[in-house]
């Protein structure tokens, strides 16, 4: 089998389109997972079991079902209830919701890792509960969990090809479409594999450096 550089050149415009969609899904999904994960974590610390119990059930259900099943449910089942989103929006929501159940556990660990003396100091200063969280607890907790959150961003990146299953033309979707149209699979799929490595590996090195810096 001979490597065809002309196929690579022909595929590249499609690759850039797919890369843009992939990065868009990754960025928006990350924002949703980080924000919603923090909400879940805070709700799980409320005194009321009538809040904690439903949140616990929802997050356990989402975490223990495959992302692909959730994608299919949102894309194919919700329209039967007259709830319709675009394929990309559905993918972003599914990724964000799915990974929020993991970032929730990261936030919980960070919050529980804040020394008890910080809580006691806030109480001694008679700080309002909201001020205690926003000025004392959360800044320390988030600083501790940034590397772990970054690891989930990389995981989300590697899960974006699942969006192809609901017709989103991300990098893999573009490669698959090009391959089927031109009957050339090696070049576009190799380009996609290299692209994921070039994105994820430097990101992992950056996270390691960040983790070493934060633990000093």
């Amino acid at each position: 089998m001979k490597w065809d550089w002309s196929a690579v050149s022909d595929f590249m415009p499609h690759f850039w389109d797919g890369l843009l969609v992939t990065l868009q899904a990754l960025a928006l999904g990350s924002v949703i997972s980080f924000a919603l994960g923090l909400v879940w974590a805070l709700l799980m610390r409320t005194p009321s079991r009538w809040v904690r119990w439903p949140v616990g059930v929802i997050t356990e259900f989402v975490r223990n079902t495959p992302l692909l099943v959730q994608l299919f449910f949102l894309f194919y089942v919700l329209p039967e209830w007259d709830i319709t989103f675009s394929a990309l929006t559905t993918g972003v929501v599914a990724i964000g919701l799915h990974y929020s159940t993991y970032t929730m556990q990261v936030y919980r660990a960070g919050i529980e890792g804040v020394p008890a003396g910080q809580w006691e100091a806030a109480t001694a200063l008679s700080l309002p509960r909201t001020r205690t969280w926003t000025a004392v607890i959360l800044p320390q907790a988030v600083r501790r969990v940034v590397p772990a959150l970054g690891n989930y961003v990389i995981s989300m990146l590697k899960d974006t090809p699942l969006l192809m299953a609901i017709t989103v033309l991300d990098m893999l979707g573009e490669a698959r479409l090009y391959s089927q149209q031109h009957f050339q699979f090696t070049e576009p799929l190799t380009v996609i594999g290299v692209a994921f490595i070039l994105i994820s590996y430097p990101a992992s090195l950056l996270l390691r450096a960040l983790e070493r810096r934060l633990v000093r």
Side-chain angles (χ1 to χ4, degrees), residues 74 77-78 105 159-160 185:
L74 293 177
V77 176
L78 289 187
Q105 299 297 339
D159 274 347
T160 54
F185 293 87

Side-chain angles (χ1 to χ4, degrees), residues 118-119 122-123 125-140:
Q118 299 294 314
W119 295 90
T123 302
L125 293 172
S126 300
L127 291 180
R129 186 172 180 83
T130 302
R131 181 67 176 169
T132 299
W133 277 102
T134 58
V136 180
I137 305 303
L138 288 182
Q140 296 183 66

Side-chain angles (χ1 to χ4, degrees), residues 149-168:
L149 293 177
N151 288 330
Y152 281 119
V153 173
I154 296 176
S155 295
M156 279 186 268
L157 171 66
K158 291 187 287 187
D159 274 347
T160 54
L162 292 175
L163 301 188
M164 182 183 66
I166 57 171
T167 73
V168 175

Side-chain angles (χ1 to χ4, degrees), residues 84-117:
T84 305
F85 302 103
S86 69
L88 180 58
T89 300
T90 300
V92 167
V93 171
I95 288 177
L97 176 62
H98 184 80
Y99 275 93
S100 72
T101 61
Y102 293 97
T103 59
M104 176 193 74
Q105 299 297 339
V106 173
Y107 284 124
R108 287 181 65 182
I111 292 171
E112 292 172 0
V114 175

Side-chain angles (χ1 to χ4, degrees), residues 51-211:
V51 174
R52 295 195 311 272
W53 185 82
V55 170
V57 170
I58 292 171
T59 55
E60 284 296 323
F61 177 81
V62 172
R63 186 165 56 249
N64 289 287
T65 53
L67 175 57
L68 186 58
V69 172
Q70 295 165 17
L71 282 167
F72 282 160
F73 183 88
L74 293 177
F75 191 68
Y76 293 109
V77 176
L78 289 187
E80 296 183 2
W81 300 343
D82 295 324
I83 303 174
T84 305
F85 302 103
S86 69
L88 180 58
T89 300
T90 300
V92 167
V93 171
I95 288 177
L97 176 62
H98 184 80
Y99 275 93
S100 72
T101 61
Y102 293 97
T103 59
M104 176 193 74
Q105 299 297 339
V106 173
Y107 284 124
R108 287 181 65 182
I111 292 171
E112 292 172 0
V114 175
Q118 299 294 314
W119 295 90
E120 295 169 358
T123 302
L125 293 172
S126 300
L127 291 180
R129 186 172 180 83
T130 302
R131 181 67 176 169
T132 299
W133 277 102
T134 58
V136 180
I137 305 303
L138 288 182
Q140 296 183 66
V142 171
R143 182 176 181 272
R144 295 167 179 267
V145 303
V146 165
L149 293 177
N151 288 330
Y152 281 119
V153 173
I154 296 176
S155 295
M156 279 186 268
L157 171 66
K158 291 187 287 187
D159 274 347
T160 54
L162 292 175
L163 301 188
M164 182 183 66
I166 57 171
T167 73
V168 175
L169 290 179
D170 65 324
M171 288 193 293
L172 184 59
E174 290 284 2
R176 182 172 180 267
L177 181 61
Y178 179 90
S179 298
Q180 290 175 337
Q181 292 175 343
H182 297 83
F183 301 100
Q184 292 176 303
F185 293 87
T186 302
E187 292 82 5
L189 292 176
T190 300
V191 169
I192 297 305
V194 171
F196 273 106
I197 294 174
L198 291 179
I199 297 172
S200 61
Y201 185 65
S204 65
L205 294 179
L206 179 62
L207 286 172
R208 292 176 195 170
L210 181 61
E211 185 174 8

